[in-house]
């Protein structure tokens, strides 16, 4: 089993910043990638950013230049630095942990951006 615990969500004004953290524990060997997905009100869940075990990052077009994903292997933790937040970024953000055959998900952390 893999357990994922997200933290760092909250309420911010437009233009503000937040940093999300996701700590992984359990059977973490064999990780292929970790990332962040989000689901806003009346929206489908979408990929925000991913990072492979080799450190290659990928971003949704809507967040390029504003969000940065990083990973600390020593702490089994992935981060999402979110700058220049906009109301459209309001969503529940979920941490994802991918192995060869399985995806594991955290419980989600709420990010709310007010105008």
């Amino acid at each position: 089993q893999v357990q994922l615990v997200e933290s760092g969500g909250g309420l911010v004004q437009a233009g503000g910043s937040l940093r999300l953290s996701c700590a992984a524990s359990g059977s973490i060997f064999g990780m292929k990638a970790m990332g962040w997905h989000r689901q806003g009100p009346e929206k489908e869940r979408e990929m925000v950013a991913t990072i492979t075990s080799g450190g290659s990052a990928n971003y949704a077009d809507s967040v390029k230049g504003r969000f940065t994903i990083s990973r600390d292997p020593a702490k089994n933790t992935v981060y999402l630095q979110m700058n220049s937040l906009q109301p459209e970024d309001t969503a529940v953000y979920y941490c994802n942990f991918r192995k060869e055959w399985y995806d594991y998900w955290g419980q989600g952390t709420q990010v709310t951006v007010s105008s």
Side-chain angles (χ1 to χ4, degrees):
Q1 309 94 303
V2 174
Q3 294 81 43
L4 305 171
V5 179
E6 304 108 324
S7 62
L11 173 64
V12 297
Q13 298 289 330
S17 298
L18 287 172
R19 189 179 77 154
L20 306 183
S21 299
C22 175
S25 62
S27 301
I28 63 175
F29 293 106
M31 185 271 286
K32 300 298 182 183
M34 294 184 69
W36 293 92
H37 298 236
R38 68 186 181 186
Q39 186 167 15
E42 302 180 16
K43 296 181 180 178
E44 299 292 325
R45 186 174 296 189
E46 64 174 346
M47 185 275 290
V48 177
T50 61
I51 186 166
T52 69
S53 60
S56 179
N58 188 40
Y59 299 92
D61 289 341
S62 60
V63 306
K64 287 181 179 178
R66 299 189 297 121
F67 292 9
T68 302
I69 189 170
S70 61
R71 176 170 172 261
D72 186 345
K75 297 181 178 180
N76 300 318
T77 300
V78 65
Y79 305 94
L80 186 67
Q81 179 67 46
M82 305 185 294
N83 298 326
S84 301
L85 284 162
Q86 305 168 13
E88 66 183 18
D89 296 315
T90 295
V92 177
Y93 285 70
Y94 297 91
C95 181
N96 171 257
F97 184 105
R98 173 161 289 182
K99 288 189 174 183
E100 182 70 21
W101 293 336
Y102 301 101
D103 280 317
Y104 298 88
W105 297 91
Q107 79 283 0
T109 185
Q110 177 71 50
V111 172
T112 302
V113 185
S114 61
S115 60

